[in-house]
Amino acid sequence: MNLDSTLKPVLTVAGEYAAHVDAEGRFPVEAVSALAACGLLGLTLPERGGGLGAGPQEFAHVTGELAEVCGSTAMVYLMHVCGAMTVLAAPPPGLPSLTADLAAGRTLATLAFSEPGSRSHFWAPISQAKRNGGEDVRFTADKSWVTSAGHAGLYVTSVLSADDPGTVDLYGVEAGMPGVSVTGSFRGLGLRGNASAPMRFEVTAPDATRLGPSGAGFALMTETVMPWFNLGNAAVSLGLARAALKAAVQHTSTARLEHTGQTLAELPTIRARLARTSLQLEAATAYLRTAAASIAAPDDHTPLYVLGVKALANDTALTVTDDAMRVCGGAAFSQHLAIERFFRDARAGHVMAPTADVLYDFYGKAITGQPVFG
Ligand SMILES: Cc1cc2nc3c(=O)[nH]c(=O)nc-3n(C[C@H](O)[C@H](O)[C@H](O)COP(=O)(O)OP(=O)(O)OC[C@H]3O[C@@H](n4cnc5c(N)ncnc54)[C@H](O)[C@@H]3O)c2cc1C
């Protein structure tokens, strides 16, 4: 498979609708359909299960390329892959065709982890499942932000375990189950099309829809979700940064001060700022590639890359998109350069859990020999 030629038509569609998706705050249905049609929703699922059998490096590439044209589409894609990889790690026996449906793009997945009570501490749901007779649990879980809310077919949902309330369980909750509802709307500063609305899951869930054995949720979140999410989220951040910088270089290289005969890029302060921000982006991109390679072939250093890659990329994207705004002046403040969209979209990455500041704390604990979740 030639990944770039598979991706090309998706990028065309995503690019065509990106400005409307942002302006209207509407879900990028066209781009998500295009991703499903060309098999990319199954990118990282094994070929024997109907996927394309690719790994973290290809995933980071695709996610970053999507972000360069439409941040909302890239985030929807990232959440789908995270949901799909969690299902792959612990397929719920009661949903036997799920992996094939995710691979074929018949089902869009997402994660319903964050709760108003524990805020960005996604690993610590407050919602409590209770035994409902023999092989079912019942829970009411209010989730504060769910990307693709109302559009996904599968919500990987976290609750405190009915069997041991000190542990976490993940359930595969299908959109059609009674008691699944979107309880608000999403109007964000950026990523305005990704439908990250609050949801309520007031459901009876069979044990057979749980991912893994009872109490396995925390390990799935930290060992499966975190590597894929942090890597993909980093790729989104750097894709947005790349798009902003390209637009800034293009604008400053062509916009002229007619009375001096210079382009903006001929001003030493502007070209120096472009140089500095470009080098920051190059350095973070090199780190992202190293992190992706490490996640693809894990060793003792991989946990640090998992913690470091998202924080570094999120903060690099904040700086690069800010610099892109600055060197382009009022032209960037208006919408025709699209830089302000990349600037707004890039502000989401560092507040998405695990937040950049939480990751710095975890990374600091890891390098000083303290327990990360202690
Ligand atoms: C566009 C978007 C899409 C999202 N999609 C999803 C989704 O699909 N599924 C999902 O489950 N969630 C999703 N979220 C929620 C996200 O993952 C976070 O849970 C949410 O953004 C946290 O917001 P908050 O106001 O609760 O942050 P708070 O937890 O209140 O954080 C406020 C500040 O405190 C800092 N902070 C908190 N704890 C610590 C600590 N221990 N050390 C240092 N600093 C700390 C944070 O870094 C932040 O700067 C999404 C969020 C956004 C913005």
Side-chain angles (χ1 to χ4, degrees), residues 79 111 113-114 119-121 145 147 196 351-353 355 357-358:
M79 300 314 287
L111 304 175
F113 288 176
S114 302
R119 308 191 68 84
S120 59
H121 296 195
W145 313 69
T147 294
S196 298
V351 301
M352 293 187 78
T355 68
D357 285 344
V358 163

Side-chain angles (χ1 to χ4, degrees), residues 226-301:
M226 258 202 356
W228 289 99
F229 178 76
N230 285 7
L231 179 66
N233 188 282
V236 172
S237 282
L238 296 187
L240 293 168
R242 220 162 31 241
L245 184 58
K246 276 185 194 165
V249 167
Q250 163 73 18
H251 177 73
T252 55
S253 304
T254 50
R256 301 190 75 79
L257 299 158
E258 285 186 18
H259 61 294
T260 64
Q262 286 178 304
T263 62
L264 291 172
E266 286 174 275
L267 297 172
T269 47
I270 287 190
R271 63 186 182 232
R273 189 176 288 276
L274 284 171
R276 197 171 60 230
T277 202
S278 176
L279 286 167
Q280 285 174 327
L281 182 54
E282 288 291 326
T285 303
Y287 187 91
L288 176 99
R289 289 201 186 107
T290 308
S294 179
I295 292 168
D299 62 21
D300 290 350
H301 298 289

Side-chain angles (χ1 to χ4, degrees), residues 2 11 50 56 72 76-77 84 89 120 143 182 192 198 200-201 211 248 252 270 272 302 327 348 352 355:
N2 181 326
L11 297 179
S72 292
V76 167
Y77 184 67
S120 59
K143 299 294 180 178
V182 179
R192 286 170 41 78
R200 169 168 279 205
F201 298 87
L211 279 65
T252 55
I270 287 190
T302 306
V327 296
M352 293 187 78
T355 68

